[in-house]
């Protein structure tokens, strides 16, 4: 069992009239890769800046082990940050950038030289020590920023959307690189991003934030497969929400739910249900099965969009009652029925047991349609 | 559109801009007294210039005034730019507006208003009044130059320095000042040149105790032709050219 | 946000800046306004009672003539600068980037050179037995020297020479921003060359034109040393009148009133400039 490294307790922060953090509690474990995920304005960056010491909470405390850091200035905290646009000092060489933190500690020169060289070797930039930041590519600047932050051997590395300025391909490479570094160094990474794909692929745990409140805290798998609420379900990946109504409660821990007139048998969810209660049936696009119009399973609809994605074929299907369904099927050239034309009638079904049930929520949360993934 | 038409046109206008300057430079080496026809190569006007004690004194005065005005206005201007950039305070728009008005208003209006002020508070017209006036009209230019640099300044840089263990003072010394240094130098050079070139404001706020070069030239060129002015003008031209090249070099180097 | 510089420091900076501007900009300008409504007094410069005599004096035919003549010369200067500067800036914006930097450098060299000295250089050329007359006579175009110095034309030439870069630089900025695709779009939509110029190029470059006019017209009324060197006593600028009233005639109220007129002209031009910029902004460019 990992130990708690940093605990955030009852953190609140208000900017003008807007509550950015609302009595937030979070324990960050030693050596984990934890991601703060959420749309812009959810408080993730403020939270990170509070850990670094650039913002101070109105209420609450931050403790590292037994040390209270709440009002410690940034220069006295044993944590370092990798900034969004790297914030490399433009007037210093790569070497001087990386050495800056050690010079501040007044380390002896030979030690600085050795440690900077080690750090640069770690990010494969040994040969670039004499260059200025503007002579480096985006990816190289990113590596310098990381080297500069880890050379001080911090207890924790804070990364503020460090990959957002890179193009897609480089971003994927850097994701792998960051994971490798984290394993090798064994230090805790706190990673801020609005990119759910990045969060899912890199993290040990994900904190989903919205309006300064934690929506869900869990492993990537938990967050994706068992979202705690509609917001998380919408924000992390694409989801079909089907309206359901509890038709019957069985003794064997299952319930019967009416979805589009189909009576399906589901596992009983964690929340309490009563007969006649409306609820949401969540199905990821890859859980959907598209069947031929002659099939007796599923609901009738017609294909309105087909997008070939290489390994998958993504379609949008309009059901007869107007509901839009996203389906993502693995490409199968041997299946003759696979290729539907636009406008063609089909039936939509899914494999029971892959669904996830959520209760109805107050209207405020359901309005969050504009959130982009 | 044909290519040679714009080119010919550009060349023509540049020619018109530079012919008077070229004439001035050539005539500064002219031995002839009348100054209209070529009388052979000579440095006599340069000699006359440096043998004129009052003239040399005016040169030093001007140089000292420009140095001090540029330095003071760079200091105040840089602090103003920093304040405008970093702080939120009441009346920020008013401050901005006042600087803008100073920059845009006709020099002569600034000149008479300052003259009125100095007479009202009983300030002896001389070095101090000149310095105050010159700093005032240089100020907005320095502020703009430094602001331009600051607006491109990554707000995360000071934070990165703090994050790596620098105190506020160390951060200012090792990061903030080096990064805005090119703008400070450019602003300083601009202030220096503006001060050295000013005739309008100086005419009003200078006194007999402190004669400066532009006013001396002014009194010389009002009537007739004075060949020494050619020599002086050439020297000033070379001097500004060096200053300008210096400032461009600084700016270009900092952009890299 | 701003907590990297400490509070006492912040206070000190703000006090310094505000103090400077209040003492050396705000108070003096207030003094000028005050002086303009006072009575002339040769010994103390101004005295009570307050009246509008100074403004009435502006309408005195003697001065009105000088002002109108000054305005005429300033307007001519501005027009000539615009006529030379507009095609110049346009051509400049089309030059390859590398050469363009050098050309702009060459344009601002004169700006960094003492303007009095440059005015004097014109005198060498325009004098009765100066270079231009000699050259024209040598070429046989004229038989005897023309009077060029101490004329209205000489003053306008001097002002154009000093102020041309101030017209070109703002124009160049708008031409540089004028994207080629606007022009292509206009041609694509069937507009001819002339109609593109009238409907696309002129409106988009208007803020630059007004900025240039602002930077040229006002100094062209204030640069009193140009007529002093090139114009003789009959071609005075508003600046000469103000200077004479303050330094020689000691009629401060009148000089102050004249300079307030100049300030009002500046305010009007700034307003027009702002308006033209807003219009482009609202058109969604």
């Amino acid at each position: 069992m990992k130990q708690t490294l940093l605990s955030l307790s009852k953190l609140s922060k208000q900017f003008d009239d807007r509550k950015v953090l609302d009595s937030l509690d979070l324990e960050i474990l030693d050596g984990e890769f934890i991601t703060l995920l959420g749309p812009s304005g959810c408080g993730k960056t403020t939270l990170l800046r509070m850990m670094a010491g650039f913002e101070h909470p109105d209420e609450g405390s931050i403790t590292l082990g037994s040390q209270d850091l709440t009002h410690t200035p940034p220069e006295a905290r044993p944590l370092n940050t990798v900034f969004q646009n790297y914030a490399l000092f433009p007037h210093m060489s790569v070497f001087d950038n990386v050495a800056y933190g050690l010079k501040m500690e007044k380390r002896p020169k030979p030690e600085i030289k050795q440690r900077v060289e080690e750090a640069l070797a770690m990010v494969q930039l040994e040969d670039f020590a004499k260059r200025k930041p503007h002579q480096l590519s985006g990816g190289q600047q990113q590596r310098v920023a990381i080297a500069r932050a880890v050379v001080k051997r911090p207890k924790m590395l804070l990364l503020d959307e460090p990959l957002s300025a890179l193009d897609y391909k480089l971003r994927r490479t850097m994701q792998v690189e960051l994971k490798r570094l984290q394993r090798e160094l064994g230090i805790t990474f706190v990673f801020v991003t609005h990119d759910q794909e990045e969060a899912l692929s890199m993290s040990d745990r994900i904190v989903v934030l919205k309006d300064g409140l934690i929506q869900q805290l869990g492993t990537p798998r938990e967050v994706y497969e068992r979202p705690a609420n509609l917001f998380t379900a919408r924000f992390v990946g694409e989801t079909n929400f089907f309206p359901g109504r509890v038709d019957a409660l069985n003794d064997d821990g299952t319930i019967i739910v009416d979805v589009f007139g189909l009576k399906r048998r589901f596992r009983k969810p964690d929340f309490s249900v009563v007969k006649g209660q409306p609820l949401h049936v969540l199905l990821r696009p890859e859980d959907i099965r598209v069947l031929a119009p002659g099939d007796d399973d599923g609901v009738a609809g017609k294909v309105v969009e087909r997008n070939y994605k290489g390994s998958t074929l993504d379609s949008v299907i309009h059901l007869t009652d107007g509901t839009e369904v996203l389906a993502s099927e693995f490409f199968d050239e041997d299946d003759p029925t696979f290729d539907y034309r636009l406008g063609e009638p089909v039936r939509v079904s899914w494999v029971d047991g892959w669904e996830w049930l959520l209760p109805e929520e107050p209207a405020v949360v359901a309005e969050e349609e504009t959130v982009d993934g | 559109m044909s290519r040679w038409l714009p080119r010919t046109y550009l060349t023509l206008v540049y020619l018109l801009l530079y012919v008077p300057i070229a004439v001035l430079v050539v005539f500064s080496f002219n031995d002839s007294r009348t100054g209209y026809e070529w009388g052979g190569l000579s440095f006599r006007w340069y000699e006359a210039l440096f043998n004129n004690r009052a003239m040399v004194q005016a040169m030093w005065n001007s140089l000292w005034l420009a140095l001090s005005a540029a330095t003071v206005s760079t200091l105040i201007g840089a602090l103003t730019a920093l304040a405008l950039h970093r702080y939120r305070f009441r009346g920020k728009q008013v401050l901005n507006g006042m600087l803008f008005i100073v920059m845009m208003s006709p020099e002569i209006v600034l000149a008479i208003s300052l003259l009125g002020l100095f007479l009202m508070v009983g300030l002896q017209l001389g070095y101090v009044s000149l310095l105050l006036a010159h700093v005032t009209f240089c100020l907005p230019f320095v502020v703009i130059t430094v602001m331009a640099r600051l607006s491109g300044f990554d707000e995360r840089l000071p934070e990165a320095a703090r994050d790596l263990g620098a105190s506020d003072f160390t951060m200012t010394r090792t990061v903030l000042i080096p990064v805005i240094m090119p703008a400070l130098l450019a602003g300083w050079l601009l202030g220096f040149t503006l001060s050295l070139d000013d005739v309008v404001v100086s005419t009003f706020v200078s006194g007999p105790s402190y004669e400066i070069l532009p006013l001396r030239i002014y009194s010389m060129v009002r009537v007739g032709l004075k060949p020494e002015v050619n020599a002086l003008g050439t020297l000033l031209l070379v001097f500004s050219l060096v200053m300008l090249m210096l400032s461009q070099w600084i700016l270009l180097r900092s952009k890299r | 946000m701003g907590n990297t510089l400490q509070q006492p420091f912040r206070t000190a900076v703000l006090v310094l800046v505000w103090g400077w501007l209040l003492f050396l900009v705000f108070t003096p300008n207030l003094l000028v306004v005050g002086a303009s409504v006072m009575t002339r007094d040769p010994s103390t410069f101004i005295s009570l009672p307050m009246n509008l005599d100074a403004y009435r004096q502006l309408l005195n035919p003697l001065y009105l003539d000088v002002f109108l003549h000054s305005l005429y010369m300033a307007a001519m200067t501005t027009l000539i600068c615009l006529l030379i500067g507009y095609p110049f800036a346009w051509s400049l914006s089309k030059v390859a980037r590398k050469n363009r930097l050098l050309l702009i450098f060459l344009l601002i060299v004169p700006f960094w050179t003492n303007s009095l000295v440059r005015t004097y250089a014109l005198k060498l050329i325009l004098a009765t037995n100066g270079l231009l007359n000699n050259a024209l006579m040598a070429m046989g175009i004229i038989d005897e020297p023309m009077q060029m110095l101490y004329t209205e034309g000489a003053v306008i030439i001097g002002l154009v020479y000093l102020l041309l870069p101030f017209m070109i630089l703002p124009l160049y900025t708008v031409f540089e921003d004028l994207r080629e695709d606007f022009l292509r779009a206009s041609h694509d939509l069937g507009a001819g060359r002339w109609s593109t110029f009238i409907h696309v190029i002129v409106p988009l470059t208007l803020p630059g034109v007004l900025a240039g006019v602002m930077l040229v017209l006002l100094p062209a009324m204030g640069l009193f040393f140009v007529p002093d060197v090139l114009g003789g006593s009959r071609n005075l600028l508003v600046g000469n009148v103000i200077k004479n009233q303050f330094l020689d005639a000691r009629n401060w109220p009148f000089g102050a009133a004249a300079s307030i007129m100049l300030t009002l002209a500046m305010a009007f031009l700034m307003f027009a400039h702002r308006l033209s910029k807003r219009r482009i902004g609202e058109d969604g460019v």
Side-chain angles (χ1 to χ4, degrees):
Chain A
M1 188 65 201
K2 284 174 173 174
Q3 292 206 312
T4 301
L5 179 65
L6 189 82
S7 25
L8 311 173
S9 146
K10 303 256 172 298
L11 287 182
S12 292
K13 177 83 186 174
Q14 203 150 343
F15 285 135
D16 298 326
D17 291 335
R18 215 167 59 85
K19 243 198 166 96
V20 186
L21 291 179
D22 193 358
S23 191
L24 181 139
D25 290 303
L26 181 64
E27 307 256 292
I28 293 171
L29 305 179
D30 197 7
E32 77 172 329
F33 194 122
I34 189 165
T35 298
L36 308 179
L37 175 68
S40 60
C42 71
K44 57 188 192 297
T45 299
T46 309
L47 192 57
L48 193 82
R49 289 170 60 79
M50 258 178 208
M51 295 185 210
F54 302 130
E55 307 276 2
H56 297 285
D58 299 337
E59 277 165 59
S61 65
I62 301 171
T63 44
L64 182 85
S66 57
Q67 194 189 354
D68 184 6
L69 286 185
T70 316
H71 298 290
T72 311
E75 60 265 34
R77 298 189 185 205
L79 327 166
N80 288 115
T81 309
V82 176
F83 291 88
Q84 186 164 11
N85 292 311
Y86 324 134
L88 298 179
F89 305 127
H91 56 298
M92 294 180 196
S93 67
V94 167
F95 184 94
D96 288 336
N97 261 283
V98 179
Y100 190 87
L102 297 174
K103 282 181 189 157
M104 292 301 128
E105 288 178 9
K106 305 229 171 358
R107 297 274 169 192
K109 269 207 168 142
E111 185 193 334
I112 293 182
K113 188 170 184 309
Q114 193 206 338
R115 281 173 66 177
V116 170
E117 277 166 2
E118 277 172 22
L120 286 177
M122 196 178 61
V123 294
Q124 288 126 38
L125 284 177
E126 307 93 312
D127 303 333
F128 293 82
K130 291 210 176 77
R131 301 251 185 121
K132 286 280 184 73
H134 68 261
Q135 295 168 312
L136 302 179
S137 70
Q140 288 167 335
Q141 291 184 22
Q142 169 74 83
R143 287 160 201 259
V144 177
I146 294 167
R148 186 177 70 174
V150 299
V151 77
K152 293 193 70 169
R153 298 178 188 149
K155 293 230 165 71
M156 213 162 128
L157 196 64
L158 309 173
L159 302 105
D160 185 8
E161 307 217 14
L163 307 181
S164 60
L166 304 177
D167 65 47
Y168 181 74
K169 226 172 162 179
L170 201 52
R171 205 154 68 217
R172 297 309 298 256
T173 322
M174 285 309 294
Q175 285 175 12
V176 177
E177 190 102 335
L178 274 175
K179 266 312 266 187
R180 174 184 69 82
L181 268 174
Q182 197 250 343
R183 265 198 312 273
E184 280 174 15
L185 294 165
I187 52 178
T188 309
F189 275 35
V190 182
F191 188 91
V192 160
T193 185
H194 62 265
D195 181 343
Q196 39 100 10
E197 216 178 302
E198 210 165 86
L200 291 174
S201 66
M202 297 173 78
S203 326
D204 296 325
R205 290 198 299 162
I206 295 177
V207 183
V208 182
L209 278 167
K210 184 187 154 250
D211 300 335
L213 289 167
I214 294 183
Q215 304 291 312
Q216 186 165 8
L217 172 59
T219 64
R221 197 170 179 141
E222 282 165 354
V223 169
Y224 188 76
E225 292 184 357
R226 299 197 287 281
N229 54 30
L230 291 179
F231 171 78
T232 309
R234 283 204 182 93
F235 191 72
V236 182
E238 282 185 295
T239 310
N240 294 301
F241 295 85
F242 293 157
R245 185 171 292 278
V246 180
D247 203 47
L249 294 145
N250 298 340
D251 296 335
D252 58 353
T254 59
I255 56 175
I256 306 293
V257 177
D258 181 327
V259 191
F260 302 121
L262 304 171
K263 303 269 196 283
R264 306 295 288 239
R265 178 190 293 260
F266 295 146
R267 261 191 326 266
K268 194 167 170 298
D270 294 340
F271 54 93
S272 62
V273 286
V274 293
K275 191 163 182 274
Q277 176 186 341
L279 41 68
H280 295 281
V281 179
L282 275 59
L283 285 157
R284 297 289 181 185
E286 60 271 22
D287 299 338
I288 299 287
R289 292 285 166 271
V290 182
L291 308 169
D295 213 295
D296 50 1
D297 190 15
V299 200
K302 69 174 190 225
V303 180
V304 296
E305 230 180 283
R306 288 292 254 183
N307 288 314
Y308 175 68
K309 288 277 178 64
S311 57
T312 63
L313 193 57
D314 294 356
S315 6
V316 179
I317 296 157
H318 273 182
L319 300 184
T320 33
D321 72 341
T323 311
E324 202 176 80
V325 180
L326 305 173
S328 177
E329 301 162 277
F330 277 99
F331 210 78
D332 184 357
E333 288 175 21
D334 298 333
D335 186 351
T337 63
F338 188 80
D339 204 12
Y340 302 104
R341 281 189 308 278
L342 285 184
E344 197 172 333
V346 289
R347 293 186 82 80
V348 168
S349 183
W350 62 89
V351 181
D352 282 341
W354 289 5
E355 79 293 331
W356 180 247
L357 300 180
L358 283 176
E360 293 264 282
E361 285 176 24
V364 197
V365 181
E367 266 174 21
E368 208 72 36
E369 290 291 347
T370 49
V371 172
D372 54 330
Chain B
M1 207 191 294
S2 72
R3 282 182 139 228
W4 62 267
L5 188 68
R7 279 188 191 180
T8 318
Y9 182 66
L10 287 176
T11 315
L12 196 73
V13 175
Y14 274 113
L15 219 59
L16 285 176
L17 279 176
Y18 278 87
V19 159
I21 294 175
V23 166
L24 183 86
V25 173
V26 170
F27 272 57
S28 76
F29 298 104
N30 188 359
D31 197 35
S32 153
R33 166 100 227 152
T34 56
Y36 296 123
E37 58 270 345
W38 187 248
L41 187 71
S42 154
F43 289 96
R44 61 186 278 203
W45 306 121
Y46 290 90
E47 266 171 53
L49 210 57
F50 287 108
N51 287 332
N52 184 338
R53 280 194 54 201
M55 179 67 92
V56 174
Q57 183 60 45
M59 266 188 221
W60 284 120
N61 283 350
S62 263
L63 212 57
W64 174 242
L65 175 66
L67 277 171
S68 44
T71 308
V72 175
S73 60
T74 303
L75 263 170
I76 301 179
L79 290 174
T80 309
L82 274 174
L84 284 171
H85 182 72
R86 316 217 92 184
Y87 304 143
R88 275 194 246 168
F89 54 89
R90 287 174 70 183
K92 194 170 177 170
Q93 285 305 316
V94 181
L95 192 74
N96 252 325
M98 262 164 75
L99 287 168
F100 188 62
I101 286 172
V102 176
M103 198 168 62
M104 293 308 301
S105 63
E107 281 172 285
I108 190 148
V109 177
L110 185 75
I112 58 160
S113 69
L114 286 171
L115 174 65
L117 178 79
F118 295 149
L119 290 183
M120 190 186 77
V121 299
L123 181 73
Q124 181 81 45
L125 292 182
Y127 172 70
V128 177
S129 62
L130 279 167
L131 179 67
L132 288 175
H134 282 214
V135 170
T136 303
F137 70 68
C138 290
L139 203 56
F141 293 94
V142 177
V143 173
I144 282 186
T145 316
V146 178
M147 280 287 267
R149 180 78 182 174
L150 282 174
S151 73
F153 180 75
D154 184 357
E155 282 305 313
R156 301 282 179 241
L157 287 181
E159 288 185 354
R162 300 290 299 274
D163 189 68
L164 293 166
S167 66
D168 192 48
F169 177 74
T170 314
M171 181 280 291
T172 308
R173 188 172 55 84
T174 56
V175 175
L176 195 58
I177 292 179
V179 170
I180 62 169
M181 193 45 113
L184 294 183
L185 283 173
W188 189 90
L189 283 167
L190 188 59
F192 186 87
T193 317
L194 286 171
S195 166
L196 209 57
D197 185 38
D198 175 71
V199 181
V200 175
V201 176
S202 304
T203 303
F204 284 81
V205 298
S206 74
S209 65
Y210 201 82
E211 197 186 21
I212 55 171
L213 202 56
L215 295 187
R216 199 169 168 86
I217 302 176
Y218 186 36
S219 64
M220 287 167 77
V221 299
R222 286 175 85 162
V223 277
L225 294 169
K226 297 277 190 316
E228 297 100 306
V229 175
N230 298 340
L232 188 58
T234 306
L235 288 179
L236 281 173
L237 178 74
V238 172
F239 190 68
S240 345
L241 212 61
V242 169
M243 296 289 274
L244 180 61
M245 266 155 49
L246 210 61
S247 81
Q248 294 291 310
W249 180 70
I250 288 166
L251 280 177
L252 275 179
R253 217 183 55 151
S254 72
K255 270 190 190 141
R256 257 188 245 137
Chain C
M1 193 162 277
N3 52 6
T4 33
L5 292 175
Q6 259 98 46
Q7 205 67 22
F9 182 68
R10 175 197 144 117
T11 314
V13 169
L14 288 180
V15 165
L16 177 68
V17 173
W18 273 114
W20 192 283
L21 288 178
L22 284 180
F23 181 63
L24 287 151
V25 177
F26 186 71
T27 317
N29 278 300
L30 213 61
L31 278 177
V32 172
V33 176
S36 74
V37 293
M38 300 292 250
T39 307
R40 174 186 180 190
D41 187 321
S43 56
T44 59
F45 301 117
I46 48 172
S47 66
L48 287 169
M50 284 167 55
N51 55 51
L52 291 177
D53 282 355
Y55 291 94
R56 233 165 271 137
Q57 205 181 342
L58 287 174
L59 299 176
N60 178 327
L62 185 71
Y63 288 111
L64 204 58
D65 272 357
V66 174
F67 289 147
L68 288 178
H69 188 50
S70 168
L71 190 65
Y72 165 75
M73 287 192 291
M76 283 306 287
T77 302
T78 313
L79 188 67
I80 295 171
C81 281
L82 187 61
L83 288 178
I84 299 177
Y86 199 85
F88 185 88
W90 198 348
S91 311
L92 191 61
S93 73
K94 288 189 185 298
V95 174
R97 203 182 140 67
K98 213 179 118 203
N99 300 330
R100 210 159 56 197
L101 287 176
L102 180 71
L103 288 180
I104 291 168
F105 178 79
L106 285 177
L107 194 65
I108 49 178
V109 167
F111 167 69
W112 282 61
T113 321
N114 194 297
S115 42
L116 200 52
V117 167
R118 280 186 295 140
T119 313
Y120 172 75
L122 282 180
K123 201 170 186 172
L124 288 176
I125 295 173
L126 298 176
T128 310
N129 42 1
L131 284 182
L132 191 56
N133 267 320
N134 285 348
L136 290 176
M137 285 199 292
M139 284 188 284
I141 298 173
I142 51 174
D143 295 328
E144 54 188 69
M146 288 197 302
Q147 174 69 32
M148 288 191 252
L149 209 55
Y150 309 125
T151 60
E152 182 185 288
V155 174
I156 293 176
I157 289 175
L159 290 172
V160 168
Y161 183 51
L162 291 186
L163 297 170
L164 186 61
F166 293 92
M167 177 63 86
I168 291 174
L169 287 174
L171 281 172
Y172 168 71
T173 326
V174 288
F175 273 115
E176 205 185 25
D177 286 347
L178 187 72
R179 301 210 313 266
E180 275 297 318
D181 42 340
F182 286 152
L183 308 188
R184 265 186 232 121
S186 173
H187 289 305
D188 187 58
L189 294 169
R193 205 166 264 189
W194 177 246
S195 133
T196 300
F197 179 73
I198 292 296
H199 295 294
V200 180
I201 299 178
V202 169
L204 284 179
T205 52
L206 196 60
V209 171
L210 282 166
V213 167
M214 195 156 65
L215 291 174
V216 171
L217 189 64
L218 287 165
M221 291 196 274
L223 288 177
F224 55 74
F225 59 84
V226 176
D228 274 355
V229 176
L230 299 172
S233 59
R234 273 173 296 119
N235 300 296
L236 298 179
L237 300 182
V238 179
N240 295 77
V241 175
I242 297 176
K243 174 174 159 262
N244 292 340
Q245 294 303 320
F246 266 86
L247 298 185
D248 305 330
R250 302 257 156 162
N251 186 348
W252 279 36
F254 181 54
S259 74
I260 284 172
M261 288 297 120
L262 266 189
T263 311
L264 287 180
M266 170 194 79
F268 172 75
L269 285 173
M270 268 163 62
F271 179 71
H273 175 240
R274 191 161 276 205
L275 216 62
S276 77
K277 261 185 128 160
R278 252 230 319 266
R279 246 185 59 183
I280 287 194
E282 279 171 3
D283 290 347
V285 176

